[in-house]
Amino acid sequence: MRAFPPGFVWGAATAAHQVEGANTASDCWALEHASPSVFAEPSGDAIDQFHRYGDDLALLAALGLNSYRFSIEWARIEPEEGFFSQAALDHYKRLIDACWARGLAPCATFHHFTSPRWMAKQGGWTSPKIADAFGRFCEIAADELAEDLAFACTINEINIPAFVRASRMAPDFSDAHRKAAMDALGAPPESFYMFAGTDGYAERAVAAHRRARDAIKAAAPNLPVGMTISIQEEEAEDHDDARTALAQRRAAIYDPFYEAAKGDDFVGVQTYTRMMTFRDGRTGRPKGAEKTAMGYEFRPQALAAACRDAAHATGCPVLVTESGYAGEDGRRCTFIQGALDGVHAAIADGVDIRGYYYWSAFDNFEWMSGYGPRFGMIGVDRRSQKRLVKPSAAMLGAIAHANALEVEDGETVVMDETGAPLGLGGRR
Ligand code: BGC
């Protein structure tokens, strides 16, 4: 029975735009509806969590989890510059209350990729105004919401724009795509967070993080606040040119953000795979590796490597704010077990890891890939919006409930006839 420390946080994560539906005032919505678009399909009603959060939280709690990570949507709360919607703030208050009522500690992210259209029109995350604009939103939102949170993340994957640029992962925007983005959004595609890794990005983002952290701390001094960082296990091909390229890559995509995280209450680690740097400077899967539905290497061990790296570089306690797998559920179970084996071993070695959120609680809108890749441990039939608990969810719930990797013999999650979990306890 490999136990985790008492009070370990066990959760699952989502982001507003990916699950709520109809996020019409956001820059992402506009880009999805541009023609042509780099998005495979529009997000539409997503999984309608905006209305169904109560049942969704009840499901997660019944599984055995003790926390839920979600994001609050800037484009809903400030749909026009300077207009703050009390109704939207009240919605998130109800969501936070509903978490506590079901025994789930709420972890809120203040920015998860999407911004209001008015911000995009001013350059979005390429604009020097971003820190002030985001900071002001955080002040208003934190005043209303922060006191009732258990954790706050300022910016999700603060380094992803730099990561996308360094890894050459941005779509190749044709003239037609650029014109369509201008027509739909009134701004070039780089104004959208994921593509905003232009020169000076790290300074803009770190300034925005600081403004957000200070605003949240002013409203709730005891609330743990941190940024989240996309951290993959990084390796170089056995060649000097590859090692040099990897050192440059680290300096561009990790070092400035690790430096900025020092002194924060925690660092959020988000890991999906291993990235190999080759001698020609390109990055990708090691040759012959098993692929997930995202085309990443299947590499559950990457999570512990990333936690060790982040803890060493920042000196902060680690919260695994995302770790996940897209594809078939049997492999998902193996992925989760493997990732948690590594986390448990790292904790035994003295790495201060406080919690783990699986990405994602539900199948959802996977950005440019649309609804194709499925990361959820709970499936969703989007025509009926019915939820279907997959075996991986029951497995993670049982681990969470036991706070240990080996669950007591005979303990299993009991489901009703629709596949919804009723709780732990039945004997096999
Ligand atoms: C993001 C999520 C995304 C997931 C899977 C992370 O980079 O935070 O929004 O869905 O990866 O690609």
PDB file of all heavy atoms in Angstrom, residues 272-273 285 289-300 324-328 331 335 373-375:
ATOM      1  N   TYR A 272       2.662  16.252 -20.395  1.00  0.00           N
ATOM      2  CA  TYR A 272       1.959  15.302 -21.263  1.00  0.00           C
ATOM      3  C   TYR A 272       2.857  14.243 -21.886  1.00  0.00           C
ATOM      4  O   TYR A 272       2.394  13.169 -22.239  1.00  0.00           O
ATOM      5  CB  TYR A 272       1.216  16.077 -22.368  1.00  0.00           C
ATOM      6  CG  TYR A 272       0.008  16.776 -21.789  1.00  0.00           C
ATOM      7  CD1 TYR A 272       0.117  18.035 -21.214  1.00  0.00           C
ATOM      8  CD2 TYR A 272      -1.223  16.140 -21.733  1.00  0.00           C
ATOM      9  CE1 TYR A 272      -0.976  18.649 -20.617  1.00  0.00           C
ATOM     10  CE2 TYR A 272      -2.321  16.740 -21.146  1.00  0.00           C
ATOM     11  CZ  TYR A 272      -2.191  17.994 -20.585  1.00  0.00           C
ATOM     12  OH  TYR A 272      -3.281  18.576 -19.979  1.00  0.00           O
ATOM     13  N   THR A 273       4.181  14.574 -22.034  1.00  0.00           N
ATOM     14  CA  THR A 273       5.008  13.668 -22.826  1.00  0.00           C
ATOM     15  C   THR A 273       6.496  13.967 -22.626  1.00  0.00           C
ATOM     16  O   THR A 273       6.876  14.749 -21.753  1.00  0.00           O
ATOM     17  CB  THR A 273       4.642  13.796 -24.323  1.00  0.00           C
ATOM     18  OG1 THR A 273       5.271  12.759 -25.058  1.00  0.00           O
ATOM     19  CG2 THR A 273       5.056  15.147 -24.899  1.00  0.00           C
ATOM     20  N   ARG A 285       8.878  13.302 -31.130  1.00  0.00           N
ATOM     21  CA  ARG A 285       8.911  12.004 -30.449  1.00  0.00           C
ATOM     22  C   ARG A 285      10.213  11.298 -30.758  1.00  0.00           C
ATOM     23  O   ARG A 285      10.719  11.400 -31.870  1.00  0.00           O
ATOM     24  CB  ARG A 285       7.833  11.071 -31.021  1.00  0.00           C
ATOM     25  CG  ARG A 285       6.446  11.360 -30.708  1.00  0.00           C
ATOM     26  CD  ARG A 285       5.576  10.201 -31.218  1.00  0.00           C
ATOM     27  NE  ARG A 285       5.778   9.906 -32.628  1.00  0.00           N
ATOM     28  CZ  ARG A 285       5.144  10.513 -33.613  1.00  0.00           C
ATOM     29  NH1 ARG A 285       4.293  11.482 -33.359  1.00  0.00           N
ATOM     30  NH2 ARG A 285       5.362  10.177 -34.872  1.00  0.00           N
ATOM     31  N   ALA A 289       8.526   5.491 -31.002  1.00  0.00           N
ATOM     32  CA  ALA A 289       7.750   5.564 -29.758  1.00  0.00           C
ATOM     33  C   ALA A 289       6.260   5.355 -30.020  1.00  0.00           C
ATOM     34  O   ALA A 289       5.749   5.723 -31.070  1.00  0.00           O
ATOM     35  CB  ALA A 289       7.970   6.933 -29.111  1.00  0.00           C
ATOM     36  N   GLU A 290       5.568   4.791 -29.023  1.00  0.00           N
ATOM     37  CA  GLU A 290       4.101   4.659 -29.110  1.00  0.00           C
ATOM     38  C   GLU A 290       3.465   6.049 -29.095  1.00  0.00           C
ATOM     39  O   GLU A 290       3.861   6.915 -28.317  1.00  0.00           O
ATOM     40  CB  GLU A 290       3.597   3.856 -27.895  1.00  0.00           C
ATOM     41  CG  GLU A 290       2.074   3.763 -27.850  1.00  0.00           C
ATOM     42  CD  GLU A 290       1.548   3.089 -26.577  1.00  0.00           C
ATOM     43  OE1 GLU A 290       2.319   2.378 -25.886  1.00  0.00           O
ATOM     44  OE2 GLU A 290       0.355   3.275 -26.274  1.00  0.00           O
ATOM     45  N   LYS A 291       2.461   6.249 -29.964  1.00  0.00           N
ATOM     46  CA  LYS A 291       1.829   7.572 -30.075  1.00  0.00           C
ATOM     47  C   LYS A 291       0.481   7.611 -29.362  1.00  0.00           C
ATOM     48  O   LYS A 291      -0.283   6.653 -29.423  1.00  0.00           O
ATOM     49  CB  LYS A 291       1.530   7.861 -31.556  1.00  0.00           C
ATOM     50  CG  LYS A 291       2.660   8.489 -32.292  1.00  0.00           C
ATOM     51  CD  LYS A 291       2.183   9.095 -33.598  1.00  0.00           C
ATOM     52  CE  LYS A 291       1.915   8.075 -34.685  1.00  0.00           C
ATOM     53  NZ  LYS A 291       1.550   8.635 -35.973  1.00  0.00           N
ATOM     54  N   THR A 292       0.153   8.756 -28.772  1.00  0.00           N
ATOM     55  CA  THR A 292      -1.200   8.974 -28.265  1.00  0.00           C
ATOM     56  C   THR A 292      -2.036   9.594 -29.391  1.00  0.00           C
ATOM     57  O   THR A 292      -1.505   9.914 -30.458  1.00  0.00           O
ATOM     58  CB  THR A 292      -1.193   9.974 -27.083  1.00  0.00           C
ATOM     59  OG1 THR A 292      -0.888  11.273 -27.596  1.00  0.00           O
ATOM     60  CG2 THR A 292      -0.152   9.597 -26.038  1.00  0.00           C
ATOM     61  N   ALA A 293      -3.329   9.823 -29.118  1.00  0.00           N
ATOM     62  CA  ALA A 293      -4.192  10.422 -30.140  1.00  0.00           C
ATOM     63  C   ALA A 293      -3.763  11.847 -30.493  1.00  0.00           C
ATOM     64  O   ALA A 293      -4.180  12.388 -31.515  1.00  0.00           O
ATOM     65  CB  ALA A 293      -5.648  10.413 -29.668  1.00  0.00           C
ATOM     66  N   MET A 294      -2.946  12.477 -29.667  1.00  0.00           N
ATOM     67  CA  MET A 294      -2.429  13.817 -29.985  1.00  0.00           C
ATOM     68  C   MET A 294      -1.142  13.726 -30.806  1.00  0.00           C
ATOM     69  O   MET A 294      -0.561  14.754 -31.168  1.00  0.00           O
ATOM     70  CB  MET A 294      -2.120  14.596 -28.698  1.00  0.00           C
ATOM     71  CG  MET A 294      -3.328  15.033 -27.919  1.00  0.00           C
ATOM     72  SD  MET A 294      -4.363  16.205 -28.823  1.00  0.00           S
ATOM     73  CE  MET A 294      -3.452  17.735 -28.625  1.00  0.00           C
ATOM     74  N   GLY A 295      -0.650  12.494 -31.006  1.00  0.00           N
ATOM     75  CA  GLY A 295       0.616  12.343 -31.718  1.00  0.00           C
ATOM     76  C   GLY A 295       1.824  12.485 -30.801  1.00  0.00           C
ATOM     77  O   GLY A 295       2.967  12.492 -31.257  1.00  0.00           O
ATOM     78  N   TYR A 296       1.579  12.590 -29.485  1.00  0.00           N
ATOM     79  CA  TYR A 296       2.693  12.669 -28.536  1.00  0.00           C
ATOM     80  C   TYR A 296       3.193  11.260 -28.223  1.00  0.00           C
ATOM     81  O   TYR A 296       2.450  10.286 -28.335  1.00  0.00           O
ATOM     82  CB  TYR A 296       2.259  13.273 -27.198  1.00  0.00           C
ATOM     83  CG  TYR A 296       1.602  14.621 -27.241  1.00  0.00           C
ATOM     84  CD1 TYR A 296       0.695  14.981 -26.250  1.00  0.00           C
ATOM     85  CD2 TYR A 296       1.900  15.544 -28.238  1.00  0.00           C
ATOM     86  CE1 TYR A 296       0.093  16.234 -26.248  1.00  0.00           C
ATOM     87  CE2 TYR A 296       1.297  16.791 -28.242  1.00  0.00           C
ATOM     88  CZ  TYR A 296       0.390  17.128 -27.247  1.00  0.00           C
ATOM     89  OH  TYR A 296      -0.211  18.353 -27.243  1.00  0.00           O
ATOM     90  N   GLU A 297       4.426  11.186 -27.694  1.00  0.00           N
ATOM     91  CA  GLU A 297       4.919   9.909 -27.196  1.00  0.00           C
ATOM     92  C   GLU A 297       4.127   9.520 -25.938  1.00  0.00           C
ATOM     93  O   GLU A 297       3.883  10.368 -25.065  1.00  0.00           O
ATOM     94  CB  GLU A 297       6.405  10.020 -26.829  1.00  0.00           C
ATOM     95  CG  GLU A 297       6.962   8.713 -26.280  1.00  0.00           C
ATOM     96  CD  GLU A 297       8.357   8.789 -25.662  1.00  0.00           C
ATOM     97  OE1 GLU A 297       8.865   9.912 -25.482  1.00  0.00           O
ATOM     98  OE2 GLU A 297       8.921   7.743 -25.354  1.00  0.00           O
ATOM     99  N   PHE A 298       3.747   8.241 -25.839  1.00  0.00           N
ATOM    100  CA  PHE A 298       3.115   7.720 -24.612  1.00  0.00           C
ATOM    101  C   PHE A 298       4.228   7.583 -23.578  1.00  0.00           C
ATOM    102  O   PHE A 298       5.092   6.716 -23.697  1.00  0.00           O
ATOM    103  CB  PHE A 298       2.486   6.352 -24.913  1.00  0.00           C
ATOM    104  CG  PHE A 298       1.825   5.713 -23.719  1.00  0.00           C
ATOM    105  CD1 PHE A 298       0.486   5.966 -23.435  1.00  0.00           C
ATOM    106  CD2 PHE A 298       2.531   4.848 -22.889  1.00  0.00           C
ATOM    107  CE1 PHE A 298      -0.134   5.371 -22.336  1.00  0.00           C
ATOM    108  CE2 PHE A 298       1.915   4.250 -21.786  1.00  0.00           C
ATOM    109  CZ  PHE A 298       0.579   4.518 -21.513  1.00  0.00           C
ATOM    110  N   ARG A 299       4.228   8.441 -22.575  1.00  0.00           N
ATOM    111  CA  ARG A 299       5.384   8.496 -21.681  1.00  0.00           C
ATOM    112  C   ARG A 299       4.949   8.932 -20.279  1.00  0.00           C
ATOM    113  O   ARG A 299       5.158  10.085 -19.854  1.00  0.00           O
ATOM    114  CB  ARG A 299       6.404   9.475 -22.273  1.00  0.00           C
ATOM    115  CG  ARG A 299       7.646   9.695 -21.459  1.00  0.00           C
ATOM    116  CD  ARG A 299       8.671   8.625 -21.639  1.00  0.00           C
ATOM    117  NE  ARG A 299       9.850   8.921 -20.851  1.00  0.00           N
ATOM    118  CZ  ARG A 299      10.803   8.032 -20.573  1.00  0.00           C
ATOM    119  NH1 ARG A 299      10.738   6.791 -21.048  1.00  0.00           N
ATOM    120  NH2 ARG A 299      11.835   8.361 -19.849  1.00  0.00           N
ATOM    121  N   PRO A 300       4.303   8.032 -19.528  1.00  0.00           N
ATOM    122  CA  PRO A 300       3.825   8.434 -18.195  1.00  0.00           C
ATOM    123  C   PRO A 300       4.955   8.861 -17.259  1.00  0.00           C
ATOM    124  O   PRO A 300       4.737   9.686 -16.368  1.00  0.00           O
ATOM    125  CB  PRO A 300       3.115   7.179 -17.670  1.00  0.00           C
ATOM    126  CG  PRO A 300       3.407   6.078 -18.624  1.00  0.00           C
ATOM    127  CD  PRO A 300       3.891   6.675 -19.907  1.00  0.00           C
ATOM    128  N   GLY A 324      -2.189  14.240 -18.497  1.00  0.00           N
ATOM    129  CA  GLY A 324      -3.293  13.514 -19.118  1.00  0.00           C
ATOM    130  C   GLY A 324      -2.920  12.806 -20.400  1.00  0.00           C
ATOM    131  O   GLY A 324      -1.815  12.965 -20.925  1.00  0.00           O
ATOM    132  N   TYR A 325      -3.893  12.035 -20.879  1.00  0.00           N
ATOM    133  CA  TYR A 325      -3.683  11.163 -22.034  1.00  0.00           C
ATOM    134  C   TYR A 325      -4.927  11.190 -22.906  1.00  0.00           C
ATOM    135  O   TYR A 325      -6.054  11.085 -22.405  1.00  0.00           O
ATOM    136  CB  TYR A 325      -3.417   9.734 -21.525  1.00  0.00           C
ATOM    137  CG  TYR A 325      -3.600   8.670 -22.567  1.00  0.00           C
ATOM    138  CD1 TYR A 325      -2.555   8.333 -23.426  1.00  0.00           C
ATOM    139  CD2 TYR A 325      -4.819   8.023 -22.717  1.00  0.00           C
ATOM    140  CE1 TYR A 325      -2.728   7.369 -24.409  1.00  0.00           C
ATOM    141  CE2 TYR A 325      -5.006   7.047 -23.692  1.00  0.00           C
ATOM    142  CZ  TYR A 325      -3.958   6.735 -24.537  1.00  0.00           C
ATOM    143  OH  TYR A 325      -4.122   5.792 -25.506  1.00  0.00           O
ATOM    144  N   ALA A 326      -4.733  11.328 -24.234  1.00  0.00           N
ATOM    145  CA  ALA A 326      -5.860  11.252 -25.171  1.00  0.00           C
ATOM    146  C   ALA A 326      -5.804   9.917 -25.887  1.00  0.00           C
ATOM    147  O   ALA A 326      -4.769   9.564 -26.460  1.00  0.00           O
ATOM    148  CB  ALA A 326      -5.774  12.386 -26.188  1.00  0.00           C
ATOM    149  N   GLY A 327      -6.906   9.182 -25.853  1.00  0.00           N
ATOM    150  CA  GLY A 327      -6.961   7.902 -26.550  1.00  0.00           C
ATOM    151  C   GLY A 327      -7.825   6.924 -25.793  1.00  0.00           C
ATOM    152  O   GLY A 327      -8.725   7.310 -25.032  1.00  0.00           O
ATOM    153  N   GLU A 328      -7.495   5.677 -25.958  1.00  0.00           N
ATOM    154  CA  GLU A 328      -8.341   4.583 -25.493  1.00  0.00           C
ATOM    155  C   GLU A 328      -8.207   4.423 -23.962  1.00  0.00           C
ATOM    156  O   GLU A 328      -7.122   4.617 -23.403  1.00  0.00           O
ATOM    157  CB  GLU A 328      -7.871   3.359 -26.299  1.00  0.00           C
ATOM    158  CG  GLU A 328      -8.528   2.067 -26.084  1.00  0.00           C
ATOM    159  CD  GLU A 328      -7.766   1.257 -25.072  1.00  0.00           C
ATOM    160  OE1 GLU A 328      -6.525   1.157 -25.159  1.00  0.00           O
ATOM    161  OE2 GLU A 328      -8.455   0.730 -24.178  1.00  0.00           O
ATOM    162  N   ARG A 331      -5.445   2.265 -22.012  1.00  0.00           N
ATOM    163  CA  ARG A 331      -4.111   2.884 -21.977  1.00  0.00           C
ATOM    164  C   ARG A 331      -4.104   4.065 -21.010  1.00  0.00           C
ATOM    165  O   ARG A 331      -3.089   4.394 -20.418  1.00  0.00           O
ATOM    166  CB  ARG A 331      -3.671   3.358 -23.373  1.00  0.00           C
ATOM    167  CG  ARG A 331      -3.336   2.257 -24.345  1.00  0.00           C
ATOM    168  CD  ARG A 331      -2.297   1.297 -23.802  1.00  0.00           C
ATOM    169  NE  ARG A 331      -0.919   1.724 -23.959  1.00  0.00           N
ATOM    170  CZ  ARG A 331       0.091   1.254 -23.213  1.00  0.00           C
ATOM    171  NH1 ARG A 331      -0.141   0.399 -22.234  1.00  0.00           N
ATOM    172  NH2 ARG A 331       1.316   1.668 -23.424  1.00  0.00           N
ATOM    173  N   PHE A 335      -1.549   4.796 -18.109  1.00  0.00           N
ATOM    174  CA  PHE A 335      -0.867   6.098 -18.080  1.00  0.00           C
ATOM    175  C   PHE A 335      -0.959   6.721 -16.681  1.00  0.00           C
ATOM    176  O   PHE A 335       0.033   7.192 -16.120  1.00  0.00           O
ATOM    177  CB  PHE A 335      -1.509   7.028 -19.122  1.00  0.00           C
ATOM    178  CG  PHE A 335      -0.810   8.342 -19.287  1.00  0.00           C
ATOM    179  CD1 PHE A 335       0.234   8.484 -20.192  1.00  0.00           C
ATOM    180  CD2 PHE A 335      -1.185   9.448 -18.530  1.00  0.00           C
ATOM    181  CE1 PHE A 335       0.889   9.706 -20.339  1.00  0.00           C
ATOM    182  CE2 PHE A 335      -0.533  10.664 -18.674  1.00  0.00           C
ATOM    183  CZ  PHE A 335       0.502  10.798 -19.584  1.00  0.00           C
ATOM    184  N   PRO A 373      -9.675  14.565 -30.299  1.00  0.00           N
ATOM    185  CA  PRO A 373      -8.912  13.875 -29.239  1.00  0.00           C
ATOM    186  C   PRO A 373      -9.690  13.851 -27.924  1.00  0.00           C
ATOM    187  O   PRO A 373     -10.287  14.857 -27.541  1.00  0.00           O
ATOM    188  CB  PRO A 373      -7.644  14.729 -29.096  1.00  0.00           C
ATOM    189  CG  PRO A 373      -7.615  15.622 -30.289  1.00  0.00           C
ATOM    190  CD  PRO A 373      -9.033  15.803 -30.727  1.00  0.00           C
ATOM    191  N   ARG A 374      -9.694  12.718 -27.260  1.00  0.00           N
ATOM    192  CA  ARG A 374     -10.481  12.593 -26.026  1.00  0.00           C
ATOM    193  C   ARG A 374      -9.574  12.366 -24.827  1.00  0.00           C
ATOM    194  O   ARG A 374      -9.027  11.285 -24.660  1.00  0.00           O
ATOM    195  CB  ARG A 374     -11.474  11.456 -26.166  1.00  0.00           C
ATOM    196  CG  ARG A 374     -12.441  11.814 -27.250  1.00  0.00           C
ATOM    197  CD  ARG A 374     -13.535  10.865 -27.466  1.00  0.00           C
ATOM    198  NE  ARG A 374     -14.397  11.482 -28.484  1.00  0.00           N
ATOM    199  CZ  ARG A 374     -15.554  11.033 -28.851  1.00  0.00           C
ATOM    200  NH1 ARG A 374     -16.027   9.947 -28.297  1.00  0.00           N
ATOM    201  NH2 ARG A 374     -16.246  11.656 -29.775  1.00  0.00           N
ATOM    202  N   PHE A 375      -9.469  13.388 -24.009  1.00  0.00           N
ATOM    203  CA  PHE A 375      -8.637  13.324 -22.800  1.00  0.00           C
ATOM    204  C   PHE A 375      -9.448  12.914 -21.572  1.00  0.00           C
ATOM    205  O   PHE A 375      -8.893  12.665 -20.513  1.00  0.00           O
ATOM    206  CB  PHE A 375      -8.042  14.711 -22.507  1.00  0.00           C
ATOM    207  CG  PHE A 375      -6.808  15.053 -23.310  1.00  0.00           C
ATOM    208  CD1 PHE A 375      -6.895  15.746 -24.505  1.00  0.00           C
ATOM    209  CD2 PHE A 375      -5.544  14.674 -22.851  1.00  0.00           C
ATOM    210  CE1 PHE A 375      -5.757  16.073 -25.237  1.00  0.00           C
ATOM    211  CE2 PHE A 375      -4.405  14.993 -23.570  1.00  0.00           C
ATOM    212  CZ  PHE A 375      -4.505  15.694 -24.766  1.00  0.00           C
TER     213      PHE A 375
END
